[in-house]
């Protein structure tokens, strides 16, 4: 089990030392997140409160397991929370017109399945502002698309593709049956 | 400007980057709702066509209520009491369950997409005046939503409504008639505006048409303001119409206000209101007519002025339902000309030929492709 510090925080004043909590992803990557940044995630804040973690024993406690998020995505979420740790946490789901800041615009502009995992992770960890930014980015891309383009964008199989997959599965089953008969 | 630039940069960046693909199977439904809320209406309809899952998500009432709130048009929705009553099928006035309320549901999607619903409805012809030369329309202009018959010098859209009379702070645009009788008709399909048929049958909310009226101090003028509630298509029942433009009427389905001003009787802007509160069940369409002229026969726009035409469908505060009401004022014009083909409501077919109606049919024959409301106006032109 190897610990990996996300950000080397500068040495704070002795009066207010920075407290770090350890969290562990489903592939056993352990990350540290500061006490201020963890407020951005309602799930993590509630976990700390309910499990009795406090500033005194944070360093010695076992990491909090996050079963539904992998290490790469959790690293992104922690990075986002650290960057926005000074921001106020929205009480409810933010609605209405949302402006996507420049840093966040670059942050959510990631490739392949990473954005999907980021949406799922921010939804599970209840990082509402990050989820809002991801959804706004996706909506901006989807605006103006035709239904066919949306199927490609959202990886939705068409009826023909479903039929092909079904036929392939059936042929595979028949081939297995034939092999079994030949063996018998 | 900066937003447009950002959009261009965003689209360019998207094309040059490695393409972004969202695996929809792994994303839960509660993450898709905030994405769909940020799409425009056209993209939403495209999303519905993409797959069944998106269609089910977007078809739910809660999605459209939230969408209306984000677009800041929550006033098109019925009130919370009414929505709760429709969900629980508990209405005032139906304690003995005589009325079958099982199909009493609000079509929230239609209400939000129409953009009208239970908010005030304003006519759609204003842009035509803004685009016309000198903001004046001459001749005949018609569409599914309105019909303008502008004789004489035409009908002129005047800014701030202060020529020849006191201006009004609420009047920014008004429509001025000229020396020969002209008319502005507004046709409103209540069902396509988002008012559900069961509301029109069993609730029959008040329908209020308001406008502001004035005339020039230096010229005599005449104005008829009339409204009809109809069953089928967009129509103007001429038999009622003649009565309505001759004198004030106050019937269940057709009402009118008529007024003549003498010369040199200056006065401030007036509020004119027609309100239907006791009409029969089955009403689906509303037709509004403003017909006016100046009485001095002067060139230019010296006739009456009309502004701020507005239609409100006002649900009662309490969710109350009533039994069906029979129409005591039904006439032959109300027969459904498409009764034989219920599925072809959009087809234009001539009305049924009766002996007494032969002249009307013959005159209207060469106007086959014109909506019935306009055909009747053309008949009126021929009579002149």
């Amino acid at each position: 089990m190897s610990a990996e510090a996300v950000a080397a925080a500068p040495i704070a004043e002795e009066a207010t030392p920075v407290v770090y909590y350890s969290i562990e992803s489903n592939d056993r990557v352990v990350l540290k997140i500061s006490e201020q940044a963890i407020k951005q995630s309602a799930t993590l804040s509630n976990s700390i409160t309910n499990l009795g973690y406090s500033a005194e024993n944070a360093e010695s406690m076992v990491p909090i397991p996050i079963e539904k998020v992998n290490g790469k995505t959790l690293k992104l979420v922690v990075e986002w929370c650290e960057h926005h740790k000074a921001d106020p946490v929205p009480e409810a789901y933010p609605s209405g017109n949302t402006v996507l800041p420049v840093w966040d615009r670059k942050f959510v502009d990631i490739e392949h399945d990473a954005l999907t995992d980021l949406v799922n992770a921010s939804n599970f960890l209840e990082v509402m502002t990050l989820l809002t930014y991801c959804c706004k980015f996706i909506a901006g891309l989807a605006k103006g698309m035709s239904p066919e383009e949306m199927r490609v964008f959202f990886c939705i199989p068409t009826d023909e593709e479903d039929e092909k997959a079904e036929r392939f599965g059936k042929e595979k089953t028949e081939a297995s049956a034939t092999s079994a008969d030949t063996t018998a | 400007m900066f937003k447009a630039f950002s959009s261009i940069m965003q689209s360019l960046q998207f094309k040059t980057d490695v393409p972004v693909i969202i695996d929809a199977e792994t994303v839960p439904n509660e993450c898709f709702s905030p994405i769909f809320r940020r799409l425009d209406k056209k993209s939403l309809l495209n999303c519905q066509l993409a797959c069944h899952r998106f269609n089910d998500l977007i078809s739910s009432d809660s999605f459209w209520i939230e969408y209306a709130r984000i677009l800041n048009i929550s006033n098109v929705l019925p009130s919370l009491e009414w929505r709760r009553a429709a969900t629980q099928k508990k209405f005032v006035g139906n304690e003995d369950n005589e009325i079958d309320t099982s199909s009493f549901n609000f079509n929230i999607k239609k209400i939000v997409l129409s953009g009208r619903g239970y908010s005030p409805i304003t006519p759609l012809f204003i842009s035509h005046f803004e685009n016309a030369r000198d903001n004046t329309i001459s001749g005949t202009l018609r569409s599914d939503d309105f019909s303008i018959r502008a004789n004489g010098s035409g009908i002129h859209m005047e800014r701030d409504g202060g020529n020849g009379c006191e201006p009004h702070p609420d009047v920014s645009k008004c429509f001025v008639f000229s020396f020969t009788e002209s008319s502005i008709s507004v046709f409103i399909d209540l069902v396509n505006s988002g008012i559900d048929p069961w509301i029109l049958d069993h609730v029959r909310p008040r329908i209020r048409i308001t406008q502001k009226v004035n005339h020039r101090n230096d010229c005599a003028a005449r104005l008829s303001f009339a409204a009809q509630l109809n069953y089928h298509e967009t129509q103007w029942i001429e038999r009622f119409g003649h009565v309505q433009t001759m004198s004030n009427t106050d019937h269940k389905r057709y009402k009118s206000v008529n007024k003549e001003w003498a010369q040199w009787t200056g006065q401030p802007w007036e509020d004119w209101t027609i309100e239907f509160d006791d009409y029969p069940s089955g009403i689906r369409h509303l037709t509004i007519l403003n017909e006016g002229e100046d009485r001095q026969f002067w060139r230019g726009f010296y006739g009456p002025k009309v502004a701020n035409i507005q239609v409100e469908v006002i649900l009662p505060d309490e969710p109350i339902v009533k039994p069906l009401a029979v129409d005591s004022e039904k006439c032959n014009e109300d027969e459904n000309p498409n009764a034989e083909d219920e599925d072809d409501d959009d087809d234009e077919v001539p009305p049924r030929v009766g002996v007494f109606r032969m002249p009307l049919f013959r005159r209207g024959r060469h106007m086959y492709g014109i909506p019935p409301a306009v055909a009747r106006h053309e008949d009126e032109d021929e009579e002149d």
Side-chain angles (χ1 to χ4, degrees):
Chain A
M1 191 178 299
S2 63
E4 183 180 355
V6 174
I11 300 175
E13 302 172 11
E14 294 180 359
T16 58
V18 177
V19 179
Y20 282 96
Y21 296 98
S22 299
I23 54 179
E24 183 185 62
S25 63
N26 58 9
D27 51 352
R28 312 196 90 67
V29 176
V30 177
L31 301 168
K32 286 187 182 301
I33 183 168
S34 65
E35 183 183 24
Q36 202 172 359
I38 210 165
K39 293 190 177 70
Q40 293 288 332
S41 169
T43 303
L44 292 179
S45 297
N46 293 337
S47 297
I48 285 172
T49 305
N50 295 331
L51 294 175
Y53 283 47
S54 61
E56 290 78 29
N57 58 10
E59 299 294 336
S60 58
M61 298 292 279
V62 296
I64 302 167
I66 311 292
E67 290 298 335
K68 294 190 176 179
V69 185
N70 57 40
K72 183 184 174 185
T73 309
L74 192 60
K75 190 172 178 180
L76 286 174
V77 176
V78 170
E79 181 189 346
W80 188 91
C81 289
E82 292 288 343
H83 186 268
H84 287 276
K85 61 188 178 184
D87 293 357
V89 181
E91 292 186 359
Y93 181 78
S95 60
N97 231 349
T98 305
V99 180
L100 195 55
V102 176
W103 187 89
D104 298 282
R105 173 73 178 75
K106 292 173 182 172
F107 183 84
V108 299
D109 190 3
I110 50 186
E111 56 190 38
H112 299 302
D113 288 330
L115 183 52
T116 308
D117 294 332
L118 188 58
V119 168
N120 285 327
S122 56
N123 181 55
F124 174 72
L125 296 173
E126 293 181 64
V127 190
M128 301 316 291
T129 308
L130 175 57
L131 180 61
T132 303
Y133 292 159
C134 292
C135 293
K136 187 173 176 64
F137 181 72
I138 295 168
L141 298 180
K143 194 170 290 187
M145 284 188 181
S146 67
E148 290 76 25
E149 287 166 346
M150 281 184 181
R151 290 194 195 103
V152 174
F153 181 61
F154 288 111
C155 294
I156 298 167
T158 59
D159 292 339
E160 293 84 15
E161 291 163 7
D162 278 335
E163 285 172 6
K164 281 181 188 174
E166 195 175 310
R167 199 182 311 126
F168 181 74
K170 198 176 295 182
E171 289 171 2
K172 201 172 180 182
T173 307
E174 289 172 358
S176 301
T178 307
S179 300
D181 291 343
T182 307
T183 307
Chain B
M1 189 63 192
F2 180 73
K3 284 191 173 181
F5 181 75
S6 297
S7 300
I8 294 169
M9 287 303 300
Q10 182 169 311
S11 61
L12 288 175
Q13 197 165 348
F14 171 62
K15 287 170 183 173
T16 54
D17 276 356
V18 179
V20 178
I21 294 176
I22 308 298
D23 190 359
E25 271 192 9
T26 63
V27 179
N29 284 350
E30 63 255 32
C31 289
F32 274 116
S33 289
I35 295 171
F36 295 151
R37 280 178 206 141
R38 292 178 160 79
L39 296 176
D40 54 291
K41 289 176 183 174
K42 187 181 178 184
S43 300
L44 267 180
L45 299 181
N46 283 342
C47 265
Q48 280 194 279
L49 299 174
C51 69
H52 288 293
R53 180 186 170 201
F54 287 1
N55 185 41
D56 295 338
L57 264 175
I58 294 172
S59 297
S60 67
D61 278 356
S62 56
F63 173 82
W64 287 102
I65 291 170
E66 186 67 19
Y67 194 72
R69 198 172 64 79
I70 287 172
L71 293 182
N72 213 26
I73 56 168
S74 289
N75 59 341
V76 304
L77 300 169
S79 68
L80 194 59
E81 286 77 24
W82 272 97
R83 297 199 314 250
R84 192 182 293 124
T87 303
Q88 301 172 359
K89 301 292 183 280
K90 289 183 179 174
F91 295 94
V92 180
N94 195 34
E95 283 77 16
D96 48 5
N97 286 319
E98 276 188 0
I99 303 169
D100 178 17
T101 61
S102 56
S103 61
F104 286 9
N105 300 305
F106 287 109
N107 192 337
I108 303 289
K109 175 188 173 186
K110 190 173 198 175
I111 291 169
V112 176
L113 279 181
S114 72
R116 291 171 149 182
Y118 297 90
S119 68
I121 298 168
T122 53
L124 303 174
F125 55 77
I126 294 172
S127 59
H128 291 264
F129 280 94
E130 290 169 348
N131 296 327
R133 188 179 58 187
D134 298 326
N135 298 133
T136 302
I137 288 178
S138 293
T140 300
L141 181 68
R142 52 183 175 255
S143 81
D144 286 341
D145 297 300
F146 63 87
S147 170
I148 296 172
R149 185 169 53 90
N151 297 318
S153 301
I155 299 178
H156 174 62
M157 185 178 76
E158 184 180 295
R159 310 275 176 179
D160 74 51
N163 274 4
C165 65
E166 289 285 325
H168 192 286
D170 288 338
V171 173
S172 58
K173 296 165 189 169
C174 69
F175 305 98
V176 195
F177 294 78
S178 69
F179 58 87
T180 304
E181 185 181 87
S182 304
S183 69
I184 297 176
S185 300
V186 178
F187 313 126
I188 292 176
D189 185 336
L190 295 167
V191 174
N192 275 343
S193 296
I195 314 297
D196 290 275
W198 65 273
I199 289 281
L200 294 166
D201 291 341
H202 288 279
V203 181
R204 302 191 290 280
R206 281 183 294 153
I207 300 177
R208 178 185 294 159
I209 305 110
T210 58
Q211 64 183 27
K212 283 178 151 46
V213 172
N214 206 338
H215 75 111
R216 289 181 64 113
N217 179 43
D218 53 2
C219 189
R222 179 192 77 83
L223 181 69
S224 295
F225 172 45
Q228 291 184 5
L229 291 172
N230 308 111
Y231 290 100
H232 308 295
E233 302 173 18
T234 305
Q235 67 186 144
W236 178 258
I237 299 179
E238 201 65 32
R239 200 183 78 188
F240 293 161
H242 279 309
V243 176
Q244 287 180 273
T245 53
M246 290 301 116
S247 61
N248 289 1
T249 59
D250 187 30
H251 296 262
K252 293 185 178 182
R253 281 183 46 214
Y254 56 100
K255 298 171 190 279
S256 64
V257 180
N258 291 272
K259 185 162 183 178
E260 291 197 30
W261 295 270
Q263 200 179 10
W264 309 120
T265 55
Q267 63 186 49
W269 283 85
E270 296 178 320
D271 286 316
W272 284 19
T273 300
I274 285 179
E275 188 166 299
F276 295 97
D277 53 7
D278 188 24
Y279 51 92
S281 300
I283 294 298
R284 298 289 180 265
H285 296 264
L286 168 66
T287 305
I288 302 158
L289 172 78
N290 271 292
E291 191 177 77
E293 65 189 326
D294 89 56
R295 291 298 213 184
Q296 312 296 139
F297 212 78
W298 289 344
R299 184 174 182 83
F301 308 104
Y302 289 83
K305 305 183 179 189
V306 176
N308 297 2
I309 305 174
Q310 191 168 272
V311 178
E312 287 176 277
V313 178
I314 304 165
L315 283 172
D317 291 335
E318 251 188 338
I320 186 170
V321 291
K322 298 177 251 180
L324 294 173
V326 183
D327 188 2
S328 56
E329 299 169 349
K330 211 155 193 179
C331 62
N332 290 303
E333 296 271 355
D334 289 317
E335 291 175 10
N336 188 357
N338 304 314
E340 307 302 325
D341 313 315
E342 290 293 335
D343 296 329
D344 295 324
D345 288 333
D346 292 331
D347 287 352
E348 298 286 351
V349 298
R352 213 177 308 167
V353 180
V355 175
F356 70 98
R357 295 181 68 181
M358 185 64 72
L360 176 64
F361 173 78
R362 187 178 297 155
R363 277 203 303 271
R365 184 162 202 165
H366 66 282
M367 308 176 186
Y368 182 81
I370 301 173
V374 183
R376 290 180 174 87
H377 282 285
E378 295 295 333
D379 289 343
E380 195 171 328
D381 282 338
E382 290 182 355
E383 289 170 5
D384 293 346

